[in-house]
Amino acid sequence: MSVTHLSASPRSRAHTASGISVRGVSHTYGARTAGGMLALDGIDLEIADGEFHCLLGPSGCGKSTLLYLIGGFIPVQAGVIATSAGPVTSPGPDRSIVFQNFALFPWKTVKDNVLYGLKKAGFNAAEREQRARHYIDMVHLTGFENAYPSQLSGGMQQRAAIARTLAVDPGILLMDEPFGALDAQTRRVMQEELRAIWRDSRKTVVFVTHDVQEAVFLADRISIMSARPGRIQHVIDVDLPKDRGEEILENREFIRLSEQIWRLVREQAVAATRGAH
Amino acid sequence: MSDILAGGRTGPPLAYAIVNTAVRFSPLLLLALGWEFLGLTGLVSQQMLPGLGEIADAFSSMLFGGELLYNTARSISRAAAGLGGAVVVGVLLGLLMAQFRPVRLLFNPIVQIFYPMPKSALIPVVMIWLGLGDSSKILLIFLGCLLPVVVGTYNGARGVNPFLLWSAASLGASRVDVLREVVLRAAMPDILNGCRTALAFSFILMVSSEFVIATDGVGFMISSLGDGGQYPAMFAAIFFVAGIGFAADRLYAMFARRALRWREA
Ligand SMILES: Nc1ncnc2c1ncn2[C@@H]1O[C@H](COP(=O)(O)OP(=O)(O)OP(=O)(O)O)[C@@H](O)[C@H]1O
Ligand SMILES: [Mg+2]
């Protein structure tokens, strides 16, 4: 794990954090055809500037869809999504994302993948080198800089994707189950690393996960979504110290919250399986 | 994409590679033996199927006389011009078709109709348009090679994983960046495949057009040697152009494999 931290906002770009406002957002896949499918139904969500927000919910409830809408990758059909820069209409480097399926450029090595965003951001060559090395080291891929994605395991690809996104230091960080392919040990290390980065660089983070403990460990607030069509069912404040390490797992409040949220999530999951029959 | 037909990949040791190559090409030796045998039995006249020795003699005299190399150079320069133009225009057109609906709507039916058409049917047309000079053959080769490149590029560009486009956009790439750095790169395997087909077409069209409309070139050489009854020399020229085509394909496959190294896990 790295100790040194790079300056959070280099002079070449300063993506300040920003809140995210989601109002009345619904989304239907295949809206233009007869059998359109309602994936999100009237989502209202205010995420504060600098907040670490986790989205929990059963598979297929529209968590990725909501992230894609905030990212500007798919057009907003109904409602409004806005950041401090105004309504979201297209993707931009102020809102960088780690996709559930990694989406590394397969023709680029790990290092070139990480350098891609740094070049676009206008860092000079020395800064690019330094930042790439720093983030590759942070995700424990030192020694694999020149490997192509096809030569890496799923967990390694996922870590490379995380490094690529973190390296550009976006004001808003969107993460779609970014630790899903990692073993429990690596996962824990990455969670702590992410908390540290977030604490030091003041980002707004929207983090999708299935793992209740992970959500409670990371988040300031947690949204629990209903089964499809996705709605925000509960929003829960996580009242835990800012500095969270291994010891938090034994914290009474941590355990209480985890159990409470686990019950709420299970209700939705049960509803989802019932809905499927 | 080494062989046209998928074959086993050879291991690293050199001796093994040599043996393996020898085994792979041994059917050619059988073919040569069959050729000689057929000539000896007298089933086919010596005229039609001259002995390999005779062909080799004719080959060396043509080679040292310079005419073979001269005509080959003429042919290849035409093929290269037509093929090069087809690759540039084809990649551009395929990309534009994949990206922009109006372009797609305009060109799709045209491509679909002309794709299966044998391009040698255009030989008389280009002759009428451009006469007997180089330009008619270059145009023919260009037209014949264009569609495989367009279709390969189009399919490749349409099939790009949208997450790659989104990744690039969220890392700060402009639309032009995305097109150049992601769509074009992601489509490269299909583009290179299309170009390989085009390379084969360029040889076919080069020779067949020179049969009909030319005063030099290997195709012209083959047909005039045949007309003049110089069969050993004719076969020598045929084998020579076949060998060049084969070598070009192998070189291309090596180049493509290098360019697509990233795909090999
Ligand atoms: N491109 C698409 N076309 C049609 N339907 C889609 C598409 N993408 C997602 N869906 C549907 O929309 C719903 C929400 O999908 P989404 O991927 O957002 O769910 P999710 O909560 O991220 O699920 P998971 O936890 O399994 O990743 C799903 O039921 C899915 O079937
Ligand atoms: Mg998802």
Side-chain angles (χ1 to χ4, degrees), chain A residues 68 73 91-93 96-97 99 101 103-107 116-117 120 148 150 164, chain B residues 163-164 166-173 177 181-182 185-186 261-265:
Chain A
Y68 300 161
F73 305 119
S96 277
I97 186 163
F99 285 111
N101 58 11
L104 292 165
F105 302 119
W107 55 87
Y116 187 80
K120 299 292 167 210
Y148 289 101
S150 64
R164 179 178 69 173
Chain B
F163 285 94
L164 297 182
W166 294 356
S167 272
S170 93
L171 290 167
D177 289 344
E181 295 164 355
V182 183
R185 283 309 303 267
R261 236 180 9 242
W262 52 270
R263 287 206 306 185
E264 293 169 10

Side-chain angles (χ1 to χ4, degrees), chain A residues 59-60 62-65 68 100 176-177 208 210:
Chain A
S59 182
K63 304 181 294 296
S64 295
T65 305
Y68 300 161
Q100 200 167 358
D176 198 351
E177 301 188 35
V208 171
H210 280 127

Side-chain angles (χ1 to χ4, degrees), chain A residues 6 66-67 76 98 148 218 269:
Chain A
L6 297 176
L66 181 54
L67 231 47
V76 178
V98 179
Y148 289 101
L218 289 171

Side-chain angles (χ1 to χ4, degrees), chain B residues 45-89:
Chain B
S45 84
Q46 285 286 355
Q47 274 263 299
M48 302 288 202
L49 219 58
L52 293 174
E54 253 183 290
I55 295 175
D57 286 344
F59 174 73
S60 69
S61 76
M62 274 197 300
L63 187 66
F64 294 116
E67 67 220 89
L68 188 58
L69 291 184
Y70 169 76
N71 283 298
T72 306
R74 295 284 296 132
S75 296
I76 287 186
S77 64
R78 288 167 192 149
L83 180 62
V87 168
V88 172
V89 175

Side-chain angles (χ1 to χ4, degrees), chain B residues 101-224:
Chain B
R101 218 172 107 83
V103 185
R104 175 156 67 249
L105 291 178
L106 184 63
F107 284 98
N108 230 343
I110 302 177
V111 170
Q112 304 234 348
I113 288 175
F114 283 96
Y115 190 69
M117 187 185 91
K119 302 304 173 302
S120 45
L122 288 176
I123 292 176
V125 181
V126 297
M127 187 166 77
I128 293 165
W129 285 350
L130 296 174
L132 299 176
D134 276 352
S135 51
S136 56
K137 266 100 48 193
I138 292 175
L139 178 66
L140 180 78
I141 293 168
F142 170 78
L143 291 173
C145 295
L146 188 61
L147 292 191
V149 180
V150 171
V151 170
T153 308
Y154 174 79
N155 286 335
R158 292 288 282 177
V160 179
N161 174 0
F163 285 94
L164 297 182
L165 309 178
W166 294 356
S167 272
S170 93
L171 290 167
S174 68
R175 289 190 58 159
V176 179
D177 289 344
V178 170
L179 198 60
R180 261 200 1 240
E181 295 164 355
V182 183
V183 177
L184 191 60
R185 283 309 303 267
M188 204 44 86
D190 291 299
I191 294 175
L192 290 176
N193 254 328
C195 290
R196 191 176 187 185
T197 308
L199 177 67
F201 281 14
S202 75
F203 266 78
I204 296 169
L205 290 170
M206 168 185 94
V207 173
S208 53
S209 66
E210 286 168 354
F211 285 163
V212 187
I213 38 167
T215 52
D216 58 10
V218 224
F220 169 76
M221 223 180 146
I222 291 169
S223 72
S224 55

